[in-house]
Each structure stands twice: as structure tokens, then as C-alpha cells.
């Protein structure tokens, strides 16, 4: 380490404030303190049944899974998420997605890789990040799904390809009802490439109703893809946030 490196380390020590609670205790990688690490809710570690198709925790008080009950046969074959969308991961995703903290791609991307290894998810032909419209991409400066996919590509040795284009500028899905989400995406995507017989694994930050991912999956399936799955960092699971 040269003199300049030592000086920079003194000025900007690696133990930054925690991005989950702003505690000055921080963490060696500058993301979450130990308390926030313990507050994470990995779905695969929850002691509850999980839906085989959408990966959602299922309450013992219900019969079957209500999260993917309206998913069609030509939509997602599988969805899996690392965490329940609850503190502190919800705050991390907001910072990553809207506040320009793009360095969180490593922390969140490695969480996806850990889930892939733990669940022994089969290697796809291509990883495909859920695309953003060019107007929103100009506003934000980057597509968070693409940053996550590139981490998975590097760490897992899998191939990423941007096979989808978002052709219509749509309202933000987070502000819409489930029915509005589906109609908001009419004609929003176009395929860029031949996917006949391929296994496609979509990458995104959050799964809510599945409207966006299922619209992408339907386009792939109707173009000849053999299988389409989705990996996301977190998913909304009402009743399991606490």
C-alpha cells in the first residue's frame, strides 16, 4: 500500500455507515451492520412450505399458493427470490434503484448467486435482465437488473444476453393495482433474437405480482423458448414481513 492509499484509507475508512440503519458501526464491506444482517429474511431459511412454482412462502392456514394462482401456462415456469421485501432489504433496493447507490450491485448480486448455489438452480442458456425503457434509463443512468445480471454472469460463469427491449414508456408498476399492472404492460416489450428451444432466466430486483416478469416470459414462450424462470433479490409477501 503506497502513501496515497494509506492517506485515502484514513480519510475514507472501509467501515462506512450501515446502509440499512445509518449506524456508524457500519460493516467491513460498507453495506449492513451485524444487527441489520440479522434482520434479513431469507425465504429459503424460513420454516414454512414454499410454492414449487413461484417460490412464495405459503401460510399453513391457506390451501395452495395464492400468489401465482392467476399465472398462465405460457408464463413463468419458476420464480425464486432471496428475501422477503421488508427492512432492511427494502431500503437497500430503494437506494440501489432510485438513489444512485449502484455499488450495491455486488452485495445484492452475490445474494442471488448464493441462492442459485443453495437451491442448485440449473444453468440456463441465457440470463436476461428485465429491460428499462430508454427514457427511464436516461433518467436513472443504469438498469439495476442489468447490473445484477452482470454480477451473476461473472460469479456463476453463465452467459447474459439483452434479448428484450422495452418499447413503450409505461407508468411505474409500483403505483398501480394488480389489474392495472397487467394492462400497463400491453405491447411494452419486443424480442431481439431467436430463443427457440432455449432456457431463459430473467433477472430483476423485486417481484411483486409478477406482471412484468410474466409478460416477458409470455413473449419468450410464444417465440419458442423451452423454459423461462425468474430470479429476484426480494419479493413482496404480505403477512411475512415481520
Amino acid at each position: 500500500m503506497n502513501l496515497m492509499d494509506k492517506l485515502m484509507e484514513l480519510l475514507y475508512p472501509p467501515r462506512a455507515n450501515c446502509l440499512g440503519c445509518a449506524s456508524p458501526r457500519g460493516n467491513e464491506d460498507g453495506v449492513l451492520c451485524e444487527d441489520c444482517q440479522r434482520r434479513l429474511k431469507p425465504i429459503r431459511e424460513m420454516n414454512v412450505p414454499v410454492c414449487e412454482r413461484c417460490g412464495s412462502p405459503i401460510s399453513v392456514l391457506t390451501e395452495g399458493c395464492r400468489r401465482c394462482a392467476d399465472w398462465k401456462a405460457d408464463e413463468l415456469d419458476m420464480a425464486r427470490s432471496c428475501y422477503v421485501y421488508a427492512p432492511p432489504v427494502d431500503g437497500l433496493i430503494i437506494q440501489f434503484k432510485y438513489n444512485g447507490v449502484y455499488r450495491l450491485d455486488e452485495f445484492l448480486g452475490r445474494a442471488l448467486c448464493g441462492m442459485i448455489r443453495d437451491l442448485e438452480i440449473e444453468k440456463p442458456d441465457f440470463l436476461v435482465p428485465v429491460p428499462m425503457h430508454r427514457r427511464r434509463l436516461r433518467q436513472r443512468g443504469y438498469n439495476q437488473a442489468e447490473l445484477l445480471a452482470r454480477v451473476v454472469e461473472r460469479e456463476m460463469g453463465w452467459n447474459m444476453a439483452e434479448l428484450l427491449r422495452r418499447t413503450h414508456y409505461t407508468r411505474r408498476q409500483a403505483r398501480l393495482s394488480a389489474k392495472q399492472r397487467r394492462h400497463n404492460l400491453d405491447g411494452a416489450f419486443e424480442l431481439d433474437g431467436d430463443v427457440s428451444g432455449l432456457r431463459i432466466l430473467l433477472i430483476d430486483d423485486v417481484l411483486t405480482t409478477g406482471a412484468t416478469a410474466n409478460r416477458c416470459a409470455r413473449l419468450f414462450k410464444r417465440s419458442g423458448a423451452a423454459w423461462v424462470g425468474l430470479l429476484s433479490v426480494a419479493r413482496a409477501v404480505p403477512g411475512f414481513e415481520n
Side-chain angles (χ1 to χ4, degrees), residues 126 128-129 161-165 190-195 198 200 220:
F126 290 110
V128 178
E162 296 181 66
L163 297 175
L164 285 175
R165 291 191 307 271
E190 285 185 359
L191 186 62
D192 187 11
D194 182 7
V195 297
L198 299 184
I200 302 295
F220 279 125

Side-chain angles (χ1 to χ4, degrees), residues 167-240:
T167 55
H168 292 181
Y169 186 79
T170 56
R171 289 183 291 169
R172 287 182 178 171
Q173 292 287 91
R175 300 173 180 175
L176 305 177
S177 68
K179 183 177 181 180
Q180 288 173 325
R181 285 170 189 252
R182 289 191 291 271
H183 292 301
N184 188 46
L185 295 166
D186 289 343
F189 300 99
E190 285 185 359
L191 186 62
D192 187 11
D194 182 7
V195 297
S196 300
L198 299 184
R199 292 176 57 85
I200 302 295
L201 189 56
L202 295 162
I203 301 291
D204 209 356
D205 54 347
V206 179
L207 173 64
T208 307
T209 64
T212 300
N214 275 317
R215 190 58 59 95
C216 295
R218 188 188 307 172
L219 183 55
F220 279 125
K221 289 282 199 70
R222 292 181 179 180
S223 300
W227 179 93
V228 183
L230 168 76
L231 298 185
S232 67
V233 173
R235 69 170 299 148
V237 191
F240 287 90

Side-chain angles (χ1 to χ4, degrees), residues 55-122:
S56 175
I58 302 173
S59 170
V60 295
L61 300 178
T62 63
E63 294 183 5
C65 179
R66 295 178 180 174
R67 317 277 180 226
C68 61
D70 61 346
W71 291 11
K72 307 296 189 296
D74 61 351
E75 296 181 332
L76 287 171
D77 294 293
M78 179 209 79
R80 293 293 182 270
S81 305
C82 301
Y83 305 111
V84 173
Y85 190 69
V89 77
D90 56 351
L92 294 184
I93 290 174
I94 288 170
Q95 293 186 69
F96 178 48
K97 193 169 182 175
Y98 301 116
N99 297 344
V101 189
Y102 55 84
R103 65 184 176 87
L104 279 166
D105 62 344
E106 290 292 330
F107 180 83
L108 301 175
R110 289 198 301 270
L112 287 172
C113 294
M115 179 175 64
I116 289 168
R117 296 184 183 106
D118 287 350
L119 299 179
E120 299 181 342
I121 293 172
E122 185 178 344

Side-chain angles (χ1 to χ4, degrees), residues 130-154:
V130 172
M132 293 174 62
H133 189 270
R134 59 184 180 277
R135 177 177 164 189
R136 187 155 287 139
L137 187 60
R138 284 196 301 268
Q139 294 170 345
R140 192 171 300 171
Y142 58 92
N143 177 1
Q144 72 281 349
E146 180 186 346
L147 295 183
L148 293 171
R150 291 197 181 281
V151 174
V152 176
E153 177 185 42
R154 185 192 70 226

